[in-house]
DNA sequence: CGTCGTATTGATCGTGCTCAACAGTCGTGG
DNA sequence: CCACGACTGTTGAGCACGATCAATACGACG
């Protein structure tokens, strides 16, 4: 992936081989890239939904504030991710997007999707598949939040992040940079910052993880996967049924 | 909707007007319909994923059993729903499907999707939108499980079910038939059967709901929506960006 | 009548929350 | 240079929501 390459092309080309036509189609979609500083809210809940974003650099998250003052982070966005897909089905976006650190995004208009659907069945299938896989992952997270202990939830989050990073970075070890503070982790897994701190300390004392700065080292990933019934949904998408493009 | 009409046609025709070609395409997809008794597991987790189902009659749910013995219901399926969409992206299904009562389903093969993607951009867009909307709804549920009290979670579930039933049944009142026992409700909202019982009793005593048999009457839906920050995602899907079919 | 599945109610326990104090690390400004 | 504040993480004490375990009630069905 050169720096000049289209974010979309390199992201989607990761799953299937793209025809030259498809590459062209995708490249033209992207507007110029944009940078945002850490902590910036890039769009707010209930804003009109016009653009999608590919993450070129940095982590972000989508959150909602609830009436009782608590905050729930519903999705973490890592480099290579497409942000805002579910909102395409709605007139207004359903959550607020916030940069967890300094980020670079490649926006492209929501209306671009109709061109793809009209002209490229193969790309359409891929996009649909990605959307559906994201839904699977959400279901997994739901199980975690619905019925796991604090420790299992945090383990689950760490395993999920590691699996995601390994898609684009094959030779990766079990070390993880985690550019989120404990309040944000808490908002994601449905706990409080205090209890996240206590749980992480306990996990460290028990030898499950090691921490240095904001990097986390998973010392027994297999045991953690066992305990949380973790499954890697990222590595085995089914793309066998995709249609060929028309000629 | 006549009894003979294709389930898919009547389901999808609810959102957009379908061309005669599209109606034909959809009708041919469906195999004969099938019935299952209450409590039947229709497919099991890790089975190969071959078919999707349209619900013609009765309620169902998808669940997973966790290593600690607890069960999490991740999705309730009502008449008119399409079951198994997210699993299309996977080689094996990720949860077990169970009939909550006697049901009738219309199966159609997963491979049918490639025909639609190739030939009908408009139907493709609709299917994508439905998948994405389901994801939004999952995100809503995630917020509920992540940071709401027992009472709010149950309220949320009731509001969600009511909104779903109102799509196909416009003139509906705030009365709801709930063919689930309290253990199933508990598995869905992440509580125990005991606490569901206690919470429902308290809600009844406080005048929020009334129960007779397995029907529930919501007495102050607006107050409940306020308390749970409930939003109806079903009634305002954005279909404005859909492409027209090629001629 | 007995059994099974389901709902209710009570007593007790524990995980995780609340509130609070304190420490470490920044960047800022005197 | 130090003082100060803002932000983050840690630790402790007490509390509450919801879990666990158990007993009871109730209906449907054989």
């Amino acid at each position: 992936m050169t720096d000049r390459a289209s974010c979309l092309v390199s992201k989607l080309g990761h799953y299937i081989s793209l025809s030259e036509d498809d590459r062209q189609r995708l490249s033209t979609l992207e507007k110029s890239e944009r940078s945002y500083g850490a902590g910036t809210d890039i769009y707010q809940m209930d804003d009109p939904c016009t653009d999608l974003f590919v993450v070129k650099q940095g982590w972000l998250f989508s959150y909602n504030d609830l009436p009782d003052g608590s905050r729930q982070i519903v999705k973490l966005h890592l480099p290579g991710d497409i942000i805002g897909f579910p909102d395409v089905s709605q007139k207004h976006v359903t959550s607020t997007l916030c940069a967890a650190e300094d980020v670079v995004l490649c926006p492209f208009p929501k209306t671009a999707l109709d061109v793809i659907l009209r002209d490229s069945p193969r790309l359409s299938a891929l996009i649909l598949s990605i959307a559906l896989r994201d839904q699977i992952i959400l279901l997994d997270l739901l199980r975690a939040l619905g019925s796991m202990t604090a420790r299992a939830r945090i383990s689950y989050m760490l395993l999920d992040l590691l699996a995601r990073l390994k898609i684009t970075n094959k030779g990766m070890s079990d070390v993880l940079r985690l550019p989120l503070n404990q309040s944000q982790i808490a908002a994601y897994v449905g706990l409080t910052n205090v209890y996240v701190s206590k749980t992480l300390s306990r996990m460290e004392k028990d030898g499950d993880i090691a921490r240095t700065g904001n990097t986390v080292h998973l010392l027994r990933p297999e045991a953690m996967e066992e305990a949380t019934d973790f499954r890697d949904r990222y590595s085995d998408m089914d793309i066998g049924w995709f249609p060929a493009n028309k000629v």
Side-chain angles (χ1 to χ4, degrees), chain A residues 15-75:
Chain A
Y15 296 97
I16 57 173
S17 60
L18 297 172
S19 69
E20 191 50 41
D21 277 357
D22 280 342
R23 303 176 83 86
Q24 295 272 339
R25 262 192 282 272
L26 290 175
S27 302
T28 56
L29 294 185
E30 281 174 39
K31 307 175 182 174
S32 57
E33 61 183 47
R34 277 188 236 156
S35 300
Y36 300 89
T40 316
D41 278 353
I42 292 160
Y43 57 71
Q44 306 265 352
M45 165 140 129
D46 290 332
D47 282 354
C49 172
T50 59
D51 284 335
L52 296 170
F53 301 88
V54 181
V55 183
K56 191 155 194 179
Q57 198 179 107
W59 288 31
L60 308 89
F61 55 86
S62 295
Y63 71 89
N64 295 92
D65 285 324
L66 300 175
D68 67 352
S70 65
R71 170 169 296 188
Q72 177 71 36
I73 292 179
V74 291
K75 180 90 189 162

Side-chain angles (χ1 to χ4, degrees), chain A residues 12-159:
Chain A
L12 297 182
H14 206 270
Y15 296 97
I16 57 173
S17 60
L18 297 172
S19 69
E20 191 50 41
D21 277 357
D22 280 342
R23 303 176 83 86
Q24 295 272 339
R25 262 192 282 272
L26 290 175
S27 302
T28 56
L29 294 185
E30 281 174 39
K31 307 175 182 174
S32 57
E33 61 183 47
R34 277 188 236 156
S35 300
Y36 300 89
T40 316
D41 278 353
I42 292 160
Y43 57 71
Q44 306 265 352
M45 165 140 129
D46 290 332
D47 282 354
C49 172
T50 59
D51 284 335
L52 296 170
F53 301 88
V54 181
V55 183
K56 191 155 194 179
Q57 198 179 107
W59 288 31
L60 308 89
F61 55 86
S62 295
Y63 71 89
N64 295 92
D65 285 324
L66 300 175
D68 67 352
S70 65
R71 170 169 296 188
Q72 177 71 36
I73 292 179
V74 291
K75 180 90 189 162
L76 301 178
H77 309 284
L78 275 52
D81 285 354
I82 300 176
I83 298 178
F85 237 124
D87 289 329
V88 168
S89 65
Q90 310 285 125
K91 296 190 180 104
H92 304 274
V93 298
T94 60
S95 52
T96 300
L97 176 64
C98 179
E101 51 185 340
D102 292 348
V103 299
V104 181
L105 301 182
C106 302
F108 66 98
K110 165 181 175 177
T111 48
L113 285 178
D114 85 331
V115 181
I116 292 179
L117 285 164
R118 204 173 46 221
D119 296 341
S120 178
R122 199 165 163 74
L123 269 185
S124 303
L126 176 59
I127 287 174
L128 178 61
S129 286
I130 290 177
L132 293 175
R133 189 210 48 192
D134 284 350
Q135 203 164 330
I136 296 277
I137 288 159
L138 226 43
L139 289 170
D140 288 341
L141 183 57
L142 202 65
R143 291 187 314 189
L145 292 203
S147 44
M148 287 184 180
T149 65
R151 187 168 191 149
R153 292 186 206 189
I154 291 180
S155 301
Y156 197 92
M157 168 183 162
L158 295 174
L159 290 170

